[in-house]
C-alpha cells in the first residue's frame, strides 16, 4: 500500500484509481526487496541512492518503514546493517508491522552485493513516477467533468500537478568527486586485469581486437556490419562462445535463424564436424561421440537464446532488464538491427531505424552492459564485392552512426578482416584474422593453424 496523502476530501488514492479500472498499479516489489537488502549489506550504499529514491518511492508500506529506518540511521551517521535496522524498527514499534526480524533477514539474503543498487533504484523511481502520473491524470480527468470548477483554476491545478511529478524525475547530474570515486575503483580493477593479461572488458576472442577495444565495454553500442553471407552471424556466435566460456552471461536475439540451426552451427565449431554434414545428418559413430561430448560442454552454457522474430525494442528492453536483475545478462547480441519490429509501423523507415538504434543504446546505458548489433549494408554495396564498406554504406545509417560507440565492418575481398571505422574509446584500422567458415572458427592471423 502506498503512502499517498489526501490533500483534500475529493482526492483519490492510487489504489482507488486502479480498483476503478481493474488494474494493479505499476510496482516492482522484488526490486524494492533487493534494494533494501543491498542497503543493509554495504555501508555506503545509501549515499548512492539518496538522490534517486525516497520513502514515498516504495510501493509497499512495510518497505517504506524499513527505508525510513535506514534513512534515519544514515542521517545520524550510524551503521546501516541488519542488526541496527532491526533495532531501529523495534524502537519505533514497527518491527512486527514489517514482518518481524525474519523478514529483515530474508531481505539481505536476496542479494549478494550492492553492485546493481543504483540501477535497481532507478526502476523503483520510475514505477513511483508512473503511479503519480496515473493519480494526477485521474484527478485532472475527474475535475474536468465538474462544471462548478472554473477552467482557469483547472488549468492551474493541472500545471501545478504535472510540474510536481516532473520534479520527481531523478537529477542524474553527479558532482566530480562522485565520478572520481566511482571511476577510481573501476580503473583499479582494469589495471589489475591488465597486469594479469586479462581484457578489462568482456573478451572478444581475438587478441588484436581485444587490444584495440579493451574487450566489450559496459554502456557501449557496437555495430558489426557486412554483406550477406560474409559471416557476421557466425562471428557473433563466436563472440557468444568466448564470453560464455569466460563466465559472462550472453543474451542473443536472432531474427532470421532458429535456435536449432544456431546450435548446429555451434556444434560445428565445438566438434570440427562440417556444417553441411551437421545440416544433413551425415554423421558416423565417431561424429556422434564428438557431438555428445560437445553437448555436455555446452549444456551449462551461459548463453540465453531468443529466436522470436516478432519482438520489438520494448520487448528486448523488458527482457534485458529482467535478466540483468536476475544476474543473467552481461552482454546483449542482436542479429540483426534492421529486422527488429518497429513499435510504430506508420513511421517512415528511417525513423523506425532511428528509434531502434537509439533504444539499443539506451539499453546499453541503462543496463550497464555492452550491446552488439549486427547490421545490413545498402543494396548497391552488397552487389559490389570489391568495394570497401564505409559508414555511409550502413542501411538507414544516419542514426546508427550517431548512436554507435564502435562501428566494425567484416570484409572479405582478398583476406578476411575487420575494419574498425569508428571507435570512441580507441583506435581505428584493420584487424586481420583467419577463419574456417565451414566450421565457424575464428583466430588471430598469427595463430592460424598453417
Amino acid at each position: 500500500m502506498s503512502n499517498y496523502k489526501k490533500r483534500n476530501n475529493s482526492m483519490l488514492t492510487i489504489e482507488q484509481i486502479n480498483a476503478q479500472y481493474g488494474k494493479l498499479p505499476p510496482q516492482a516489489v522484488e526490486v524494492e526487496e533487493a534494494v533494501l537488502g543491498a542497503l543493509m549489506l554495504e555501508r555506503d550504499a545509501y549515499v548512492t541512492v539518496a538522490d534517486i529514491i525516497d520513502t514515498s518511492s516504495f510501493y509497499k508500506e512495510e518497505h517504506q518503514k524499513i527505508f525510513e529506518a535506514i534513512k534515519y540511521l544514515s542521517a545520524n551517521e550510524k551503521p546501516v546493517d541488519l542488526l541496527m535496522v532491526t533495532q531501529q524498527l523495534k524502537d519505533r514499534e514497527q518491527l512486527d508491522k514489517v514482518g518481524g526480524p525474519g523478514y529483515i533477514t530474508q531481505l539481505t539474503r536476496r542479494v549478494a552485493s550492492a553492485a546493481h543498487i543504483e540501477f535497481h533504484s532507478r526502476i523503483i523511481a520510475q514505477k513511483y513516477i508512473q503511479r503519480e502520473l496515473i493519480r494526477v491524470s485521474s484527478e485532472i480527468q475527474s475535475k474536468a467533468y465538474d462544471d462548478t470548477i472554473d477552467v482557469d483554476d483547472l488549468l492551474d491545478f493541472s500545471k501545478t500537478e504535472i510540474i510536481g511529478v516532473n520534479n520527481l524525475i531523478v537529477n542524474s547530474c553527479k558532482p566530480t568527486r562522485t565520478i572520481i570515486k566511482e571511476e577510481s575503483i573501476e580503473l583499479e580493477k582494469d589495471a589489475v586485469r591488465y597486469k594479469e593479461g586479462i581484457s578489462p572488458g568482456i573478451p572478444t576472442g581475438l587478441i588484436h581486437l581485444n587490444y584495440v577495444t579493451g574487450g566489450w565495454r559496459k554502456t557501449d553500442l557496437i555495430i558489426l556490419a557486412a554483406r550477406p553471407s560474409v559471416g557476421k552471424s557466425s562471428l557473433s556466435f563466436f563472440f557468444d562462445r568466448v564470453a560464455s566460456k569466460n563466465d559472462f552471461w550472453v543474451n542473443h536475439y536472432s531474427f532470421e535463424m532458429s535456435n536449432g540451426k544456431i546450435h548446429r552451427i555451434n556444434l560445428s565449431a565445438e566438434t570440427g564436424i562440417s556444417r553441411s554434414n551437421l545440416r544433413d545428418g551425415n554423421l558416423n559413430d565417431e561424429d556422434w561421440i564428438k557431438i555428445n561430448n560437445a553437448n555436455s560442454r555446452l549444456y551449462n552454457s551461459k548463453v540465453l537464446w531468443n529466436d522470436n522474430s516478432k519482438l520489438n525494442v520494448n520487448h528486448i528492453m523488458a527482457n534485458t532488464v529482467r535478466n540483468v536483475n536476475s544476474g543473467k545478462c552481461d552482454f546483449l547480441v542482436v542479429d540483426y538491427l534492421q529486422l527488429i519490429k518497429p513499435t510504430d509501423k506508420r513511421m517512415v523507415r528511417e525513423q523506425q531505424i532511428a528509434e531502434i538504434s537509439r533504444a539499443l543504446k539506451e539499453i546499453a546505458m541503462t543496463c550497464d552492459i555492452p550491446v552488439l548489433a549486427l547490421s545490413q549494408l545498402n543494396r548497391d554495396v552488397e552487389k559490389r564485392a570489391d568495394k570497401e564498406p564505409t559508414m555511409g554504406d550502413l542501411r538507414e545509417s544516419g542514426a546508427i552512426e550517431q548512436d554507435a560507440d564502435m562501428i566494425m565492418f567484416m570484409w572479405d575481398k582478398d583476406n578476411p578482416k575487420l575494419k574498425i571505422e569508428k571507435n570512441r574509446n580507441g583506435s581505428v584500422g584493420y584487424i586481420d584474422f583467419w577463419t574456417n567458415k565451414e566450421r565457424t572458427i575464428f583466430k588471430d592471423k598469427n595463430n592460424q593453424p598453417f
Side-chain angles (χ1 to χ4, degrees), residues 314-327:
N314 292 336
H315 298 136
I316 296 174
M317 168 70 89
N319 289 342
T320 304
V321 169
R322 186 180 303 112
N323 289 338
V324 166
N325 287 342
S326 62

Side-chain angles (χ1 to χ4, degrees), residues 24 326 379 416:
L24 287 173
S326 62
R379 292 292 182 189

Side-chain angles (χ1 to χ4, degrees), residues 4 14 25-28 31-32 35 51-54 56-59 117-134 165 168-170 314 317-318 321 325 362 366-367:
Y4 298 107
I14 190 68
Q27 56 188 282
V31 178
E32 291 182 7
V35 167
D51 292 333
I52 301 174
I53 54 176
D54 203 352
S56 59
S57 304
F58 290 83
Y59 176 70
I117 192 169
E118 181 176 352
F119 175 70
H120 291 157
S121 295
R122 293 186 189 281
I123 294 175
I124 295 173
Q126 177 179 318
K127 298 299 181 184
Y128 173 53
I129 291 171
Q130 287 178 259
R131 295 197 297 271
E132 283 293 279
L133 283 171
I134 293 170
V165 175
L168 296 174
I169 296 176
V170 176
N314 292 336
M317 168 70 89
V321 169
N325 287 342
E362 287 177 2
T366 304
C367 296

Side-chain angles (χ1 to χ4, degrees), residues 142-151:
S142 177
K143 290 180 180 295
Y145 278 107
D146 190 344
D147 291 335
T148 63
I149 297 179
D150 182 79
V151 68

Side-chain angles (χ1 to χ4, degrees), residues 21-155:
Y21 292 101
K23 295 181 179 180
L24 287 173
Q27 56 188 282
V29 173
E30 291 183 356
V31 178
E32 291 182 7
E33 292 173 346
V35 167
L36 292 173
L39 286 169
M40 289 184 282
L41 284 177
E42 294 194 17
R43 180 175 181 178
D44 297 327
Y46 177 79
V47 178
T48 304
V49 306
D51 292 333
I52 301 174
I53 54 176
D54 203 352
T55 305
S56 59
S57 304
F58 290 83
Y59 176 70
K60 289 189 68 174
E61 186 176 358
E62 294 88 343
H63 293 169
Q64 293 173 5
K65 288 180 169 61
I66 296 170
F67 184 82
E68 189 65 26
I70 293 171
K71 181 179 175 181
Y72 172 83
L73 290 171
S74 180
N76 288 274
E77 299 183 351
K78 295 182 179 180
V80 178
D81 55 32
L82 176 63
L83 293 176
M84 290 297 291
V85 173
T86 301
Q87 186 59 49
Q88 180 61 210
L89 288 167
K90 186 176 181 181
D91 293 343
R92 294 173 176 228
E93 298 183 351
Q94 295 178 341
L95 186 57
D96 291 337
K97 295 179 181 178
V98 302
Y103 184 69
I104 306 298
T105 302
Q106 180 183 328
L107 290 175
T108 59
R109 291 175 179 171
R110 289 186 176 273
V111 289
S113 71
H116 302 293
I117 192 169
E118 181 176 352
F119 175 70
H120 291 157
S121 295
R122 293 186 189 281
I123 294 175
I124 295 173
Q126 177 179 318
K127 298 299 181 184
Y128 173 53
I129 291 171
Q130 287 178 259
R131 295 197 297 271
E132 283 293 279
L133 283 171
I134 293 170
R135 178 186 62 77
V136 168
S137 59
S138 294
E139 290 180 23
I140 293 172
Q141 178 178 320
S142 177
K143 290 180 180 295
Y145 278 107
D146 190 344
D147 291 335
T148 63
I149 297 179
D150 182 79
V151 68
D152 290 331
D153 292 339
L154 177 60
L155 287 172

Side-chain angles (χ1 to χ4, degrees), residues 162-334:
I162 292 297
I163 290 173
V165 175
N166 188 64
N167 289 337
L168 296 174
I169 296 176
V170 176
N171 179 2
S172 57
C173 297
K174 291 184 178 180
T176 303
R177 61 179 179 274
T178 301
I179 297 173
I180 289 174
K181 181 180 178 180
E182 294 173 348
E183 283 308 302
S184 294
I185 295 172
E186 292 300 314
L187 186 57
E188 288 174 4
K189 292 179 181 178
D190 288 347
V192 170
R193 292 174 66 86
Y194 184 83
K195 287 181 179 179
E196 295 175 351
I198 303 172
S199 172
I202 297 174
T204 68
L206 299 174
I207 297 172
H208 192 182
L209 185 59
N210 277 345
Y211 175 77
V212 172
T213 64
W216 310 126
R217 308 305 297 265
K218 294 178 180 180
T219 74
D220 279 358
L221 172 60
I222 307 110
I223 301 296
L224 173 61
R227 299 179 181 88
S229 302
V230 170
K232 60 182 181 292
S233 292
S234 296
L235 184 57
S236 74
F237 303 151
F238 169 75
F239 292 148
D240 292 341
R241 293 196 301 274
V242 171
S244 175
K245 289 177 180 179
N246 282 275
D247 208 30
F248 293 96
W249 280 94
V250 183
N251 290 189
H252 189 112
Y253 289 82
S254 175
F255 289 85
E256 64 173 356
M257 198 180 303
S258 70
N259 292 338
K261 288 183 178 179
I262 294 173
H263 180 60
R264 293 198 187 196
I265 292 173
N266 284 327
L267 275 179
S268 175
E270 289 287 326
T271 62
I273 303 171
S274 70
R275 280 198 195 186
S276 54
N277 285 348
L278 281 165
R279 178 197 64 203
D280 300 335
N282 181 17
L283 307 167
N284 56 38
D285 291 343
E286 184 179 348
D287 290 336
W288 279 111
I289 293 173
K290 292 179 179 178
I291 289 171
N292 289 332
N293 288 336
N295 280 334
S296 295
R297 291 193 301 271
L298 294 171
Y299 194 79
N300 293 316
S301 168
K302 290 191 170 185
V303 185
L304 302 180
W305 304 94
N306 194 316
D307 60 0
N308 186 344
S309 60
K310 297 180 180 180
L311 299 182
N312 61 37
V313 285
N314 292 336
H315 298 136
I316 296 174
M317 168 70 89
N319 289 342
T320 304
V321 169
R322 186 180 303 112
N323 289 338
V324 166
N325 287 342
S326 62
K328 292 187 176 181
C329 182
D330 301 303
F331 183 30
L332 175 64
V333 180
V334 178

Side-chain angles (χ1 to χ4, degrees), residues 333-384:
V333 180
V334 178
D335 183 11
Y336 53 86
L337 187 151
Q338 285 85 357
L339 286 182
I340 299 175
K341 296 294 182 184
T343 57
D344 187 351
K345 295 181 180 179
R346 296 169 297 179
M347 292 191 297
V348 298
R349 186 56 179 163
E350 287 72 16
Q351 291 176 325
Q352 293 175 351
I353 295 300
E355 177 198 44
I356 293 167
S357 173
R358 188 59 208 165
L360 291 176
K361 177 58 181 176
E362 287 177 2
I363 291 173
M365 293 288 290
T366 304
C367 296
D368 198 28
I369 59 172
V371 175
L372 173 67
L374 278 56
S375 176
Q376 290 178 319
L377 296 176
N378 290 322
R379 292 292 182 189
D380 60 334
V381 181
E382 293 176 2
K383 295 176 182 177
R384 295 181 55 194

